[in-house]
Amino acid sequence: MGMKNHEIVPLALIENIAKLRRGGVFKVVQSLLKKKLIAHINKQVDGYSLTYSGYDVLAIHTFIKRGLIKQIGNMLGTGKESDIYLCKGPNDEDFVLKLARLGRTSFRAVKTKRDYLKGRSKHNWLYLSRLSAIKEYTFMESLYKTQIPTPQPISHNRHAILMSLIQGYPLINVSSIKHPGKVLNDCVNLSIKLVELGLVHCDFNQFNLLVTDDEDVFVIDFPQMVSVDHFNGEELYEKDIVCLNEFFANRFGVFCENIPKLKDLKVLRHVDAEIKASGYLKENLKDYEIEELDQVIESAKREDDDEEMDSGSGEEPAEELKEEEEKEKEKGVEETKELNIINSESLEEKIPHEDQEDSENSSDESGSQDEDLNANPQITDQNKTKTKTKAEKTPENSSDLKQKISNKLKKNRQKREKVRTNRNKVKGQMSLNF
Ligand SMILES: Nc1ncnc2c1ncn2[C@@H]1O[C@H](COP(=O)(O)OP(=O)(O)OP(=O)(O)O)[C@@H](O)[C@H]1O
Ligand SMILES: [Mg+2]
């Protein structure tokens, strides 16, 4: 409570708010310090501030009080901006808890290099993490209502979001797909659908696109989303699509030609403006707060691009995948593979075989993709796009793309290695201590 107005809360204020005797407060503070739920800071002011673990406990406690969760399970993932946990609802439903962690990794650099927070004591990372979660939850709610395939938003508190679990795998962990053309097509059409809603995802990549066993695609991770009217909207949209296209070409051997330009797409709604006008989740965030959050996220992304060279976009197939691909090329095998997951635990998991008729059809890639194009009736005809397989590429396109990809891969290899090492370090350090 004290942190609403103070980044560092003096003991006297804690005593006042807690309405406990001095000795009582001291004992509680010592116990919280021991559990690392608060930290003692003794710089300009002597006092205490919540740690991320402390903030987590408060948010989780709120979800438990609301009767939404009864158990926290394993960590599902850790990103630059969040930690993701599996959890159980009261009736054993599988939920996902996303805890925003702004400032943890590269965001630190943003804070030191471009000090947005200077002189504004209440704008600390916990506060910005809360704004980020509010923004993500609000966008998720709107998109879910508009039938964009996202997780179902369940609840929000502080820096935490509770949502449904998508029974799928991030594309980055998928080594082969039975109908890669259809999946790429669905992804591109999904990004077009977002543009139709006035939005550019800005991180529309293999880390944030989940594919299910039935090869349905879901999109996650919205804090960095911007309006199509953003001064850089065109570039951000193009970067999303080009990088995703490269990933598909590289890993699954399909790419999408005729990617529509942002300016050629018809915007049907301005969800971003609607959300802003409604005051973000009845939290009545001020314009400057939203702007500040966007600035921090944006500049962190820019920094990541500089420092990590699109760790996501310049996807390089794992060695074993390359070998597998080579072998298949030699055999002249067409791309009608099942969905394989690159994950030691899930290597055995595969999508069920489709019936004979289906697999026969799938060997005729171009035919089946034409059918796929009509699979999503929500995409306006005008905005629809078309995917091509490697076999259909013109030699010119093919060599251009290959050159582009190989240059990018070369550049990214070392940087990605560095990012992975850093992430693993962070993962090793993070655990819920309560
Ligand atoms: N609702 C969900 N269902 C299933 N898996 C999920 C869900 N939400 C997140 N994940 C998993 O957690 C990972 C990280 O989630 P998310 O992208 O939202 O976090 P992030 O911190 O923004 O990550 P990054 O910064 O790496 O993009 C995802 O790649 C996905 O594997
Ligand atoms: Mg992500």
Side-chain angles (χ1 to χ4, degrees), residues 29-61:
V29 165
Q30 287 310 310
S31 147
L32 294 175
L33 274 175
K34 216 166 155 189
K35 293 186 172 112
K36 297 196 167 74
L37 300 181
I38 58 173
H40 183 211
I41 295 158
N42 187 8
K43 286 183 182 160
Q44 291 111 337
V45 185
D46 190 322
Y48 299 86
S49 74
L50 267 178
T51 59
Y52 266 125
S53 296
Y55 211 38
D56 293 347
V57 170
L58 291 172
I60 291 168
H61 179 66

PDB file of all heavy atoms in Angstrom, residues 29-61:
ATOM      1  N   VAL A  29       8.633  -7.545   9.218  1.00  0.00           N
ATOM      2  CA  VAL A  29       9.564  -7.053   8.191  1.00  0.00           C
ATOM      3  C   VAL A  29      10.762  -7.995   8.069  1.00  0.00           C
ATOM      4  O   VAL A  29      11.182  -8.342   6.956  1.00  0.00           O
ATOM      5  CB  VAL A  29      10.008  -5.602   8.521  1.00  0.00           C
ATOM      6  CG1 VAL A  29      11.232  -5.202   7.713  1.00  0.00           C
ATOM      7  CG2 VAL A  29       8.865  -4.636   8.248  1.00  0.00           C
ATOM      8  N   GLN A  30      11.286  -8.437   9.204  1.00  0.00           N
ATOM      9  CA  GLN A  30      12.438  -9.358   9.176  1.00  0.00           C
ATOM     10  C   GLN A  30      12.071 -10.662   8.471  1.00  0.00           C
ATOM     11  O   GLN A  30      12.835 -11.189   7.665  1.00  0.00           O
ATOM     12  CB  GLN A  30      12.920  -9.674  10.613  1.00  0.00           C
ATOM     13  CG  GLN A  30      13.641  -8.532  11.306  1.00  0.00           C
ATOM     14  CD  GLN A  30      14.745  -7.932  10.435  1.00  0.00           C
ATOM     15  OE1 GLN A  30      15.588  -8.640   9.891  1.00  0.00           O
ATOM     16  NE2 GLN A  30      14.734  -6.614  10.256  1.00  0.00           N
ATOM     17  N   SER A  31      10.862 -11.134   8.779  1.00  0.00           N
ATOM     18  CA  SER A  31      10.443 -12.396   8.161  1.00  0.00           C
ATOM     19  C   SER A  31      10.260 -12.229   6.649  1.00  0.00           C
ATOM     20  O   SER A  31      10.639 -13.106   5.872  1.00  0.00           O
ATOM     21  CB  SER A  31       9.170 -12.862   8.876  1.00  0.00           C
ATOM     22  OG  SER A  31       8.340 -13.524   8.001  1.00  0.00           O
ATOM     23  N   LEU A  32       9.700 -11.094   6.234  1.00  0.00           N
ATOM     24  CA  LEU A  32       9.519 -10.843   4.794  1.00  0.00           C
ATOM     25  C   LEU A  32      10.868 -10.697   4.087  1.00  0.00           C
ATOM     26  O   LEU A  32      11.049 -11.151   2.955  1.00  0.00           O
ATOM     27  CB  LEU A  32       8.665  -9.597   4.556  1.00  0.00           C
ATOM     28  CG  LEU A  32       7.208  -9.689   5.014  1.00  0.00           C
ATOM     29  CD1 LEU A  32       6.499  -8.346   4.839  1.00  0.00           C
ATOM     30  CD2 LEU A  32       6.461 -10.753   4.218  1.00  0.00           C
ATOM     31  N   LEU A  33      11.811 -10.050   4.810  1.00  0.00           N
ATOM     32  CA  LEU A  33      13.162  -9.883   4.237  1.00  0.00           C
ATOM     33  C   LEU A  33      13.804 -11.241   4.013  1.00  0.00           C
ATOM     34  O   LEU A  33      14.417 -11.490   2.974  1.00  0.00           O
ATOM     35  CB  LEU A  33      14.035  -9.068   5.201  1.00  0.00           C
ATOM     36  CG  LEU A  33      13.976  -7.555   5.094  1.00  0.00           C
ATOM     37  CD1 LEU A  33      14.813  -6.919   6.195  1.00  0.00           C
ATOM     38  CD2 LEU A  33      14.472  -7.075   3.713  1.00  0.00           C
ATOM     39  N   LYS A  34      13.631 -12.116   5.005  1.00  0.00           N
ATOM     40  CA  LYS A  34      14.225 -13.454   4.932  1.00  0.00           C
ATOM     41  C   LYS A  34      13.671 -14.215   3.732  1.00  0.00           C
ATOM     42  O   LYS A  34      14.402 -14.920   3.039  1.00  0.00           O
ATOM     43  CB  LYS A  34      13.886 -14.207   6.224  1.00  0.00           C
ATOM     44  CG  LYS A  34      14.987 -15.104   6.708  1.00  0.00           C
ATOM     45  CD  LYS A  34      14.707 -15.521   8.113  1.00  0.00           C
ATOM     46  CE  LYS A  34      15.384 -16.825   8.441  1.00  0.00           C
ATOM     47  NZ  LYS A  34      14.916 -17.313   9.732  1.00  0.00           N
ATOM     48  N   LYS A  35      12.398 -14.025   3.487  1.00  0.00           N
ATOM     49  CA  LYS A  35      11.761 -14.734   2.354  1.00  0.00           C
ATOM     50  C   LYS A  35      11.971 -13.988   1.037  1.00  0.00           C
ATOM     51  O   LYS A  35      11.425 -14.377  -0.004  1.00  0.00           O
ATOM     52  CB  LYS A  35      10.259 -14.883   2.630  1.00  0.00           C
ATOM     53  CG  LYS A  35       9.970 -15.804   3.790  1.00  0.00           C
ATOM     54  CD  LYS A  35       8.484 -16.051   3.946  1.00  0.00           C
ATOM     55  CE  LYS A  35       8.214 -17.111   4.960  1.00  0.00           C
ATOM     56  NZ  LYS A  35       7.564 -16.629   6.184  1.00  0.00           N
ATOM     57  N   LYS A  36      12.689 -12.891   1.100  1.00  0.00           N
ATOM     58  CA  LYS A  36      13.002 -12.071  -0.094  1.00  0.00           C
ATOM     59  C   LYS A  36      11.740 -11.519  -0.755  1.00  0.00           C
ATOM     60  O   LYS A  36      11.683 -11.317  -1.963  1.00  0.00           O
ATOM     61  CB  LYS A  36      13.825 -12.865  -1.112  1.00  0.00           C
ATOM     62  CG  LYS A  36      15.185 -13.289  -0.594  1.00  0.00           C
ATOM     63  CD  LYS A  36      16.066 -13.718  -1.760  1.00  0.00           C
ATOM     64  CE  LYS A  36      17.514 -13.855  -1.390  1.00  0.00           C
ATOM     65  NZ  LYS A  36      17.887 -14.996  -0.608  1.00  0.00           N
ATOM     66  N   LEU A  37      10.713 -11.283   0.058  1.00  0.00           N
ATOM     67  CA  LEU A  37       9.487 -10.690  -0.498  1.00  0.00           C
ATOM     68  C   LEU A  37       9.589  -9.167  -0.490  1.00  0.00           C
ATOM     69  O   LEU A  37       8.864  -8.480  -1.206  1.00  0.00           O
ATOM     70  CB  LEU A  37       8.262 -11.146   0.302  1.00  0.00           C
ATOM     71  CG  LEU A  37       8.029 -12.667   0.315  1.00  0.00           C
ATOM     72  CD1 LEU A  37       6.784 -13.033   1.098  1.00  0.00           C
ATOM     73  CD2 LEU A  37       7.918 -13.209  -1.106  1.00  0.00           C
ATOM     74  N   ILE A  38      10.462  -8.655   0.362  1.00  0.00           N
ATOM     75  CA  ILE A  38      10.781  -7.222   0.342  1.00  0.00           C
ATOM     76  C   ILE A  38      12.303  -7.067   0.395  1.00  0.00           C
ATOM     77  O   ILE A  38      13.006  -8.015   0.733  1.00  0.00           O
ATOM     78  CB  ILE A  38      10.126  -6.441   1.525  1.00  0.00           C
ATOM     79  CG1 ILE A  38      10.569  -7.028   2.864  1.00  0.00           C
ATOM     80  CG2 ILE A  38       8.621  -6.448   1.417  1.00  0.00           C
ATOM     81  CD1 ILE A  38      10.108  -6.198   4.060  1.00  0.00           C
ATOM     82  N   ALA A  39      12.761  -5.875   0.040  1.00  0.00           N
ATOM     83  CA  ALA A  39      14.206  -5.618   0.094  1.00  0.00           C
ATOM     84  C   ALA A  39      14.447  -4.370   0.938  1.00  0.00           C
ATOM     85  O   ALA A  39      13.632  -3.436   0.907  1.00  0.00           O
ATOM     86  CB  ALA A  39      14.739  -5.416  -1.310  1.00  0.00           C
ATOM     87  N   HIS A  40      15.536  -4.385   1.682  1.00  0.00           N
ATOM     88  CA  HIS A  40      15.910  -3.219   2.482  1.00  0.00           C
ATOM     89  C   HIS A  40      16.782  -2.295   1.642  1.00  0.00           C
ATOM     90  O   HIS A  40      17.761  -2.739   1.048  1.00  0.00           O
ATOM     91  CB  HIS A  40      16.651  -3.680   3.739  1.00  0.00           C
ATOM     92  CG  HIS A  40      16.995  -2.542   4.640  1.00  0.00           C
ATOM     93  ND1 HIS A  40      18.105  -2.535   5.437  1.00  0.00           N
ATOM     94  CD2 HIS A  40      16.360  -1.357   4.868  1.00  0.00           C
ATOM     95  CE1 HIS A  40      18.153  -1.392   6.109  1.00  0.00           C
ATOM     96  NE2 HIS A  40      17.099  -0.675   5.782  1.00  0.00           N
ATOM     97  N   ILE A  41      16.389  -1.048   1.541  1.00  0.00           N
ATOM     98  CA  ILE A  41      17.184  -0.103   0.755  1.00  0.00           C
ATOM     99  C   ILE A  41      17.608   1.040   1.661  1.00  0.00           C
ATOM    100  O   ILE A  41      16.777   1.606   2.381  1.00  0.00           O
ATOM    101  CB  ILE A  41      16.373   0.415  -0.455  1.00  0.00           C
ATOM    102  CG1 ILE A  41      16.096  -0.770  -1.394  1.00  0.00           C
ATOM    103  CG2 ILE A  41      17.131   1.494  -1.223  1.00  0.00           C
ATOM    104  CD1 ILE A  41      14.937  -0.576  -2.292  1.00  0.00           C
ATOM    105  N   ASN A  42      18.874   1.310   1.602  1.00  0.00           N
ATOM    106  CA  ASN A  42      19.384   2.336   2.511  1.00  0.00           C
ATOM    107  C   ASN A  42      20.283   3.292   1.735  1.00  0.00           C
ATOM    108  O   ASN A  42      21.483   3.344   1.961  1.00  0.00           O
ATOM    109  CB  ASN A  42      20.143   1.641   3.665  1.00  0.00           C
ATOM    110  CG  ASN A  42      20.547   2.629   4.726  1.00  0.00           C
ATOM    111  OD1 ASN A  42      20.148   3.798   4.675  1.00  0.00           O
ATOM    112  ND2 ASN A  42      21.344   2.182   5.691  1.00  0.00           N
ATOM    113  N   LYS A  43      19.657   4.001   0.767  1.00  0.00           N
ATOM    114  CA  LYS A  43      20.468   4.945  -0.006  1.00  0.00           C
ATOM    115  C   LYS A  43      20.116   6.363   0.437  1.00  0.00           C
ATOM    116  O   LYS A  43      20.518   6.784   1.508  1.00  0.00           O
ATOM    117  CB  LYS A  43      20.282   4.709  -1.496  1.00  0.00           C
ATOM    118  CG  LYS A  43      21.017   3.449  -1.909  1.00  0.00           C
ATOM    119  CD  LYS A  43      20.929   3.186  -3.388  1.00  0.00           C
ATOM    120  CE  LYS A  43      21.637   1.874  -3.720  1.00  0.00           C
ATOM    121  NZ  LYS A  43      21.209   1.347  -4.992  1.00  0.00           N
ATOM    122  N   GLN A  44      19.325   7.084  -0.400  1.00  0.00           N
ATOM    123  CA  GLN A  44      18.924   8.421   0.078  1.00  0.00           C
ATOM    124  C   GLN A  44      17.927   8.301   1.221  1.00  0.00           C
ATOM    125  O   GLN A  44      17.932   9.069   2.161  1.00  0.00           O
ATOM    126  CB  GLN A  44      18.280   9.241  -1.048  1.00  0.00           C
ATOM    127  CG  GLN A  44      19.252   9.648  -2.123  1.00  0.00           C
ATOM    128  CD  GLN A  44      18.957   8.900  -3.410  1.00  0.00           C
ATOM    129  OE1 GLN A  44      18.350   7.831  -3.395  1.00  0.00           O
ATOM    130  NE2 GLN A  44      19.407   9.461  -4.520  1.00  0.00           N
ATOM    131  N   VAL A  45      17.063   7.277   1.098  1.00  0.00           N
ATOM    132  CA  VAL A  45      16.038   7.064   2.128  1.00  0.00           C
ATOM    133  C   VAL A  45      16.228   5.667   2.686  1.00  0.00           C
ATOM    134  O   VAL A  45      16.575   4.744   1.949  1.00  0.00           O
ATOM    135  CB  VAL A  45      14.615   7.126   1.483  1.00  0.00           C
ATOM    136  CG1 VAL A  45      13.534   7.035   2.541  1.00  0.00           C
ATOM    137  CG2 VAL A  45      14.470   8.363   0.635  1.00  0.00           C
ATOM    138  N   ASP A  46      16.008   5.515   3.993  1.00  0.00           N
ATOM    139  CA  ASP A  46      16.075   4.183   4.579  1.00  0.00           C
ATOM    140  C   ASP A  46      14.667   3.607   4.575  1.00  0.00           C
ATOM    141  O   ASP A  46      13.750   4.205   5.139  1.00  0.00           O
ATOM    142  CB  ASP A  46      16.628   4.279   6.006  1.00  0.00           C
ATOM    143  CG  ASP A  46      16.931   2.897   6.560  1.00  0.00           C
ATOM    144  OD1 ASP A  46      16.151   1.964   6.269  1.00  0.00           O
ATOM    145  OD2 ASP A  46      17.945   2.741   7.262  1.00  0.00           O
ATOM    146  N   GLY A  47      14.502   2.489   3.916  1.00  0.00           N
ATOM    147  CA  GLY A  47      13.167   1.904   3.884  1.00  0.00           C
ATOM    148  C   GLY A  47      13.144   0.566   3.161  1.00  0.00           C
ATOM    149  O   GLY A  47      14.185  -0.056   2.954  1.00  0.00           O
ATOM    150  N   TYR A  48      11.958   0.174   2.785  1.00  0.00           N
ATOM    151  CA  TYR A  48      11.779  -1.156   2.196  1.00  0.00           C
ATOM    152  C   TYR A  48      10.974  -1.045   0.906  1.00  0.00           C
ATOM    153  O   TYR A  48      10.129  -0.170   0.770  1.00  0.00           O
ATOM    154  CB  TYR A  48      11.042  -2.060   3.200  1.00  0.00           C
ATOM    155  CG  TYR A  48      11.809  -2.226   4.481  1.00  0.00           C
ATOM    156  CD1 TYR A  48      11.674  -1.282   5.511  1.00  0.00           C
ATOM    157  CD2 TYR A  48      12.709  -3.276   4.649  1.00  0.00           C
ATOM    158  CE1 TYR A  48      12.408  -1.397   6.674  1.00  0.00           C
ATOM    159  CE2 TYR A  48      13.450  -3.397   5.816  1.00  0.00           C
ATOM    160  CZ  TYR A  48      13.302  -2.459   6.826  1.00  0.00           C
ATOM    161  OH  TYR A  48      14.042  -2.576   7.962  1.00  0.00           O
ATOM    162  N   SER A  49      11.272  -1.944   0.004  1.00  0.00           N
ATOM    163  CA  SER A  49      10.436  -1.976  -1.191  1.00  0.00           C
ATOM    164  C   SER A  49      10.112  -3.426  -1.529  1.00  0.00           C
ATOM    165  O   SER A  49      10.854  -4.340  -1.164  1.00  0.00           O
ATOM    166  CB  SER A  49      11.128  -1.288  -2.370  1.00  0.00           C
ATOM    167  OG  SER A  49      12.136  -2.112  -2.858  1.00  0.00           O
ATOM    168  N   LEU A  50       8.981  -3.593  -2.194  1.00  0.00           N
ATOM    169  CA  LEU A  50       8.561  -4.939  -2.590  1.00  0.00           C
ATOM    170  C   LEU A  50       9.517  -5.482  -3.630  1.00  0.00           C
ATOM    171  O   LEU A  50       9.970  -4.742  -4.497  1.00  0.00           O
ATOM    172  CB  LEU A  50       7.183  -4.861  -3.248  1.00  0.00           C
ATOM    173  CG  LEU A  50       5.945  -5.065  -2.418  1.00  0.00           C
ATOM    174  CD1 LEU A  50       4.717  -4.882  -3.300  1.00  0.00           C
ATOM    175  CD2 LEU A  50       5.921  -6.461  -1.800  1.00  0.00           C
ATOM    176  N   THR A  51       9.777  -6.772  -3.578  1.00  0.00           N
ATOM    177  CA  THR A  51      10.519  -7.415  -4.666  1.00  0.00           C
ATOM    178  C   THR A  51       9.472  -8.007  -5.609  1.00  0.00           C
ATOM    179  O   THR A  51       8.280  -8.036  -5.294  1.00  0.00           O
ATOM    180  CB  THR A  51      11.376  -8.570  -4.129  1.00  0.00           C
ATOM    181  OG1 THR A  51      10.499  -9.501  -3.507  1.00  0.00           O
ATOM    182  CG2 THR A  51      12.413  -8.087  -3.143  1.00  0.00           C
ATOM    183  N   TYR A  52       9.938  -8.513  -6.764  1.00  0.00           N
ATOM    184  CA  TYR A  52       8.999  -9.168  -7.664  1.00  0.00           C
ATOM    185  C   TYR A  52       8.324 -10.354  -6.973  1.00  0.00           C
ATOM    186  O   TYR A  52       7.130 -10.596  -7.159  1.00  0.00           O
ATOM    187  CB  TYR A  52       9.702  -9.622  -8.943  1.00  0.00           C
ATOM    188  CG  TYR A  52       9.588  -8.598 -10.049  1.00  0.00           C
ATOM    189  CD1 TYR A  52      10.709  -8.102 -10.688  1.00  0.00           C
ATOM    190  CD2 TYR A  52       8.340  -8.135 -10.456  1.00  0.00           C
ATOM    191  CE1 TYR A  52      10.604  -7.163 -11.703  1.00  0.00           C
ATOM    192  CE2 TYR A  52       8.229  -7.192 -11.471  1.00  0.00           C
ATOM    193  CZ  TYR A  52       9.357  -6.719 -12.086  1.00  0.00           C
ATOM    194  OH  TYR A  52       9.229  -5.786 -13.077  1.00  0.00           O
ATOM    195  N   SER A  53       9.087 -11.097  -6.141  1.00  0.00           N
ATOM    196  CA  SER A  53       8.476 -12.241  -5.453  1.00  0.00           C
ATOM    197  C   SER A  53       7.347 -11.770  -4.544  1.00  0.00           C
ATOM    198  O   SER A  53       6.284 -12.388  -4.465  1.00  0.00           O
ATOM    199  CB  SER A  53       9.514 -12.996  -4.619  1.00  0.00           C
ATOM    200  OG  SER A  53      10.466 -13.546  -5.455  1.00  0.00           O
ATOM    201  N   GLY A  54       7.582 -10.649  -3.853  1.00  0.00           N
ATOM    202  CA  GLY A  54       6.550 -10.097  -2.969  1.00  0.00           C
ATOM    203  C   GLY A  54       5.314  -9.687  -3.752  1.00  0.00           C
ATOM    204  O   GLY A  54       4.172  -9.956  -3.349  1.00  0.00           O
ATOM    205  N   TYR A  55       5.570  -9.050  -4.881  1.00  0.00           N
ATOM    206  CA  TYR A  55       4.465  -8.587  -5.735  1.00  0.00           C
ATOM    207  C   TYR A  55       3.691  -9.810  -6.270  1.00  0.00           C
ATOM    208  O   TYR A  55       2.465  -9.803  -6.331  1.00  0.00           O
ATOM    209  CB  TYR A  55       5.059  -7.772  -6.885  1.00  0.00           C
ATOM    210  CG  TYR A  55       4.171  -6.665  -7.410  1.00  0.00           C
ATOM    211  CD1 TYR A  55       3.370  -5.899  -6.571  1.00  0.00           C
ATOM    212  CD2 TYR A  55       4.158  -6.371  -8.771  1.00  0.00           C
ATOM    213  CE1 TYR A  55       2.567  -4.884  -7.078  1.00  0.00           C
ATOM    214  CE2 TYR A  55       3.367  -5.351  -9.284  1.00  0.00           C
ATOM    215  CZ  TYR A  55       2.571  -4.620  -8.430  1.00  0.00           C
ATOM    216  OH  TYR A  55       1.780  -3.620  -8.941  1.00  0.00           O
ATOM    217  N   ASP A  56       4.448 -10.880  -6.621  1.00  0.00           N
ATOM    218  CA  ASP A  56       3.822 -12.125  -7.095  1.00  0.00           C
ATOM    219  C   ASP A  56       2.862 -12.659  -6.033  1.00  0.00           C
ATOM    220  O   ASP A  56       1.730 -13.044  -6.333  1.00  0.00           O
ATOM    221  CB  ASP A  56       4.881 -13.214  -7.352  1.00  0.00           C
ATOM    222  CG  ASP A  56       5.806 -12.887  -8.502  1.00  0.00           C
ATOM    223  OD1 ASP A  56       5.492 -11.954  -9.260  1.00  0.00           O
ATOM    224  OD2 ASP A  56       6.851 -13.559  -8.625  1.00  0.00           O
ATOM    225  N   VAL A  57       3.361 -12.712  -4.790  1.00  0.00           N
ATOM    226  CA  VAL A  57       2.551 -13.290  -3.706  1.00  0.00           C
ATOM    227  C   VAL A  57       1.248 -12.514  -3.555  1.00  0.00           C
ATOM    228  O   VAL A  57       0.166 -13.110  -3.419  1.00  0.00           O
ATOM    229  CB  VAL A  57       3.350 -13.301  -2.380  1.00  0.00           C
ATOM    230  CG1 VAL A  57       2.451 -13.660  -1.204  1.00  0.00           C
ATOM    231  CG2 VAL A  57       4.495 -14.289  -2.476  1.00  0.00           C
ATOM    232  N   LEU A  58       1.334 -11.182  -3.624  1.00  0.00           N
ATOM    233  CA  LEU A  58       0.122 -10.365  -3.470  1.00  0.00           C
ATOM    234  C   LEU A  58      -0.877 -10.658  -4.595  1.00  0.00           C
ATOM    235  O   LEU A  58      -2.082 -10.814  -4.354  1.00  0.00           O
ATOM    236  CB  LEU A  58       0.477  -8.876  -3.464  1.00  0.00           C
ATOM    237  CG  LEU A  58       1.253  -8.407  -2.230  1.00  0.00           C
ATOM    238  CD1 LEU A  58       1.729  -6.967  -2.414  1.00  0.00           C
ATOM    239  CD2 LEU A  58       0.413  -8.516  -0.960  1.00  0.00           C
ATOM    240  N   ALA A  59      -0.373 -10.765  -5.819  1.00  0.00           N
ATOM    241  CA  ALA A  59      -1.271 -11.014  -6.955  1.00  0.00           C
ATOM    242  C   ALA A  59      -1.868 -12.418  -6.871  1.00  0.00           C
ATOM    243  O   ALA A  59      -3.079 -12.602  -7.049  1.00  0.00           O
ATOM    244  CB  ALA A  59      -0.508 -10.847  -8.266  1.00  0.00           C
ATOM    245  N   ILE A  60      -1.020 -13.392  -6.540  1.00  0.00           N
ATOM    246  CA  ILE A  60      -1.512 -14.780  -6.454  1.00  0.00           C
ATOM    247  C   ILE A  60      -2.549 -14.894  -5.334  1.00  0.00           C
ATOM    248  O   ILE A  60      -3.588 -15.541  -5.482  1.00  0.00           O
ATOM    249  CB  ILE A  60      -0.324 -15.754  -6.241  1.00  0.00           C
ATOM    250  CG1 ILE A  60       0.531 -15.795  -7.515  1.00  0.00           C
ATOM    251  CG2 ILE A  60      -0.812 -17.149  -5.873  1.00  0.00           C
ATOM    252  CD1 ILE A  60       1.875 -16.465  -7.365  1.00  0.00           C
ATOM    253  N   HIS A  61      -2.249 -14.219  -4.212  1.00  0.00           N
ATOM    254  CA  HIS A  61      -3.192 -14.223  -3.082  1.00  0.00           C
ATOM    255  C   HIS A  61      -4.555 -13.680  -3.536  1.00  0.00           C
ATOM    256  O   HIS A  61      -5.601 -14.217  -3.177  1.00  0.00           O
ATOM    257  CB  HIS A  61      -2.600 -13.375  -1.955  1.00  0.00           C
ATOM    258  CG  HIS A  61      -3.474 -13.281  -0.752  1.00  0.00           C
ATOM    259  ND1 HIS A  61      -3.766 -14.383   0.027  1.00  0.00           N
ATOM    260  CD2 HIS A  61      -4.142 -12.241  -0.201  1.00  0.00           C
ATOM    261  CE1 HIS A  61      -4.572 -14.012   1.010  1.00  0.00           C
ATOM    262  NE2 HIS A  61      -4.818 -12.720   0.885  1.00  0.00           N
TER     263      HIS A  61
END
